[in-house]
Amino acid sequence: MFDCIMVGAGPASSTAAYHLAKQGRSVVVVEKASLPRNKPCSGGVPGAIAQWLDFDLTPAMSMKANKITYTWKMEYLVQVQQINSPMWMVQRDVFDDFLIKQAQKTGAEVRHSTEVKGIELKNFLWEVKTNSEPVFGRYLIAADGAGGPMTKRLGLKEPTLCLSASLETRSIKGDSVNFDFGTIKKGFIWSFPKADGYSWSIAAMRGDKPKDIKKMLAEYALKCGADVSVSNVREHPRSLWDGDRKLHSPNSLLAGDAASLADPLSGEGIRHAIFSGFKAAKASDRALGDADDAKEPYTESIAQEWGPDMVWIGRLVRAFYQFTGAVYRAGLQFPRTTKLMSKILCGELLYADIANRAFNKLMPF
Ligand SMILES: Cc1cc2nc3c(=O)[nH]c(=O)nc-3n(C[C@H](O)[C@H](O)[C@H](O)COP(=O)(O)OP(=O)(O)OC[C@H]3O[C@@H](n4cnc5c(N)ncnc54)[C@H](O)[C@@H]3O)c2cc1C
């Protein structure tokens, strides 16, 4: 029997497993995919994640990017000069594998190719049924990502899923992050450089489910000079923050995309996964230690630390996706706006810090 069972082996789970194992708790991570797995993702990560991980992340980094370009409907290129703090770029198979190995080094057990099929809490003990033998534990952290089954199984509010897709190419290289607006309604296309190529992504951010999302992404990559095939584009859902929600149920917590914590404007979610994994480890360690359940403070502390900024993002999102063209013309293509956005993406600034200024400028449109 384990102190804690983590479902999923993404950044939320591995962060929680690392910190709990470091506290001497017995931990098992149960992952349905065969590891290392490559999650569809562009892999842009802010340096701010280092505050929740006390080991050197350099081996997990592919490169740093310090330039941004924008296009409107794949045209009218605006090249923005260097951004102050470079953004870290990671390959998700390498990054996630590195994180889970840090958890293993501290004592966490990892069972991959093991899909959770059902859960049952009996006499304060979880039985997690899998495609192989069941796993027993006192506490459960559900970090099974966007579209995973655990939120529903725990009787918590299910996320609204948005459609996204991604593509990896090795044919062209570069050092800038690129965003295209206007091609996809209420969303955007972006490409992030890696040491050996580019990761391309497309997202419909407001719940729309366009049918030709894979084709749009392939066309964009082709137009940028990449060697592509639509069949290599992989769809994956996203669960973005849409208001504070309950993140606990008896003897269990939600973390990462399963908790719908990703930024609804930029779609960034790795930082939020790591932050919530860190918090979930603290809360479950307290609960395991005291017999006094610490789950409510977890929901509260996520809402307190993340919520206020997310409220500002929610307002910006409404303005941005309603008037994308006007916002693009009025602000986004200017270097000053980019510097602010890059500071946010690097974790150096909160939306709340700039929202008043930005909102006053954007709302008249
Ligand atoms: C196209 C795209 C591009 C993105 N680009 C970026 C970006 O550039 N920067 C950024 O910060 N964020 C990005 N994101 C978001 C980011 O990928 C997620 O926010 C992040 O991966 C969430 O981490 P997680 O640990 O919560 O879940 P995940 O990384 O999704 O891990 C969940 C794990 O749970 C496993 N699982 C699911 N069900 C079960 C089950 N029943 N049993 C066992 N295991 C299960 C899955 O196999 C998976 O490995 C992007 C997302 C998409 C879709």
Side-chain angles (χ1 to χ4, degrees):
M1 195 202 34
F2 293 90
D3 286 328
C4 191
I5 303 169
M6 324 276 166
V7 182
S13 180
S14 44
T15 303
Y18 171 80
H19 286 291
L20 266 177
K22 224 176 126 193
Q23 292 305 314
R25 301 289 178 195
S26 59
V27 170
V28 63
V29 176
V30 184
E31 164 63 51
K32 73 173 176 186
S34 157
L35 296 179
R37 62 99 177 87
N38 199 3
K39 182 194 177 286
C41 183
S42 278
V45 183
I49 58 165
Q51 67 191 289
W52 302 300
L53 297 167
D54 57 3
F55 46 81
D56 179 21
L57 286 159
T58 322
M61 298 298 150
S62 177
M63 63 176 285
K64 288 181 179 175
N66 56 10
K67 275 190 228 145
I68 297 191
T69 76
Y70 297 120
T71 46
W72 176 255
K73 296 194 176 173
M74 301 191 201
E75 288 178 358
Y76 314 113
L77 175 77
V78 178
Q79 178 119 26
V80 179
Q81 80 280 29
Q82 301 223 308
I83 50 178
N84 294 347
S85 319
M87 274 184 258
W88 294 359
M89 298 292 140
V90 303
Q91 285 287 8
R92 284 299 297 271
D93 49 351
V94 175
F95 181 72
D96 289 22
D97 192 48
F98 179 79
L99 292 187
I100 204 71
K101 285 201 166 115
Q102 304 310 306
Q104 279 177 302
K105 276 188 205 162
T106 54
E109 187 176 322
V110 178
R111 296 189 192 172
H112 68 139
S113 308
T114 307
E115 182 170 1
V116 172
K117 298 281 196 184
I119 52 171
E120 200 177 345
L121 182 65
K122 278 188 284 190
N123 300 324
F124 306 102
L125 187 68
W126 283 108
E127 178 179 354
V128 172
K129 297 177 178 79
T130 73
N131 55 346
S132 57
E133 55 192 45
V135 187
F136 295 90
R138 293 166 60 204
Y139 219 82
L140 185 75
I141 296 180
D144 54 332
M150 294 300 290
T151 311
K152 188 174 180 190
R153 283 188 183 139
L154 290 169
L156 295 167
K157 186 181 164 197
E158 286 183 80
T160 311
L161 298 177
C162 304
L163 194 57
S164 235
S166 79
L167 169 71
E168 303 278 330
T169 64
R170 300 285 168 261
S171 44
I172 52 166
K173 287 193 200 173
D175 61 355
S176 65
V177 301
N178 311 303
F179 293 94
D180 177 75
F181 298 96
T183 301
I184 181 165
K185 232 174 121 193
K186 296 181 185 168
F188 58 97
I189 306 179
W190 69 108
S191 63
F192 285 179
K194 301 292 149 59
D196 59 351
Y198 260 97
S199 301
W200 313 80
S201 294
I202 184 167
M205 305 293 280
R206 305 282 285 163
D208 290 2
K209 296 207 165 91
K211 283 194 193 79
D212 47 357
I213 193 165
K214 289 166 90 170
K215 197 165 152 254
M216 272 189 256
L217 183 61
E219 276 172 8
Y220 174 74
L222 195 64
K223 199 156 185 179
C224 296
D227 185 10
V228 293
S229 152
V230 177
S231 58
N232 293 335
V233 180
R234 296 191 295 158
E235 278 186 11
H236 194 86
R238 321 191 76 172
S239 55
L240 307 172
W241 185 90
D242 61 357
D244 291 337
R245 54 177 67 215
K246 192 175 159 193
L247 303 178
H248 63 269
S249 66
N251 294 20
S252 60
L253 302 174
L254 291 180
D257 275 6
S260 288
L261 294 177
D263 180 328
L265 186 60
S266 70
E268 181 203 344
I270 299 170
R271 171 180 16 175
H272 312 68
I274 290 174
F275 163 75
S276 60
F278 174 81
K279 288 276 176 190
K282 276 193 158 186
S284 47
D285 185 47
R286 276 200 314 274
L288 286 161
D290 300 335
D292 180 20
D293 203 317
K295 55 196 191 295
E296 278 187 43
Y298 170 73
T299 293
E300 276 165 24
S301 78
I302 298 278
Q304 273 164 16
E305 289 187 45
W306 225 242
D309 210 36
M310 291 291 165
V311 170
W312 277 112
I313 301 173
R315 290 174 186 158
L316 284 168
V317 165
R318 277 195 292 282
F320 187 78
Y321 289 116
Q322 204 169 350
F323 309 108
T324 315
V327 173
Y328 184 78
R329 284 193 299 277
L332 202 56
Q333 58 176 318
F334 295 113
R336 189 176 146 65
T337 316
T338 299
K339 277 185 184 155
L340 290 174
M341 270 313 286
S342 65
K343 283 193 169 192
I344 285 177
L345 291 173
C346 291
E348 293 171 5
L349 206 62
L350 295 175
Y351 283 99
D353 298 333
I354 61 157
N356 274 323
R357 280 185 278 166
F359 216 62
N360 287 340
K361 282 192 180 157
L362 300 179
M363 277 317 279
F365 298 94

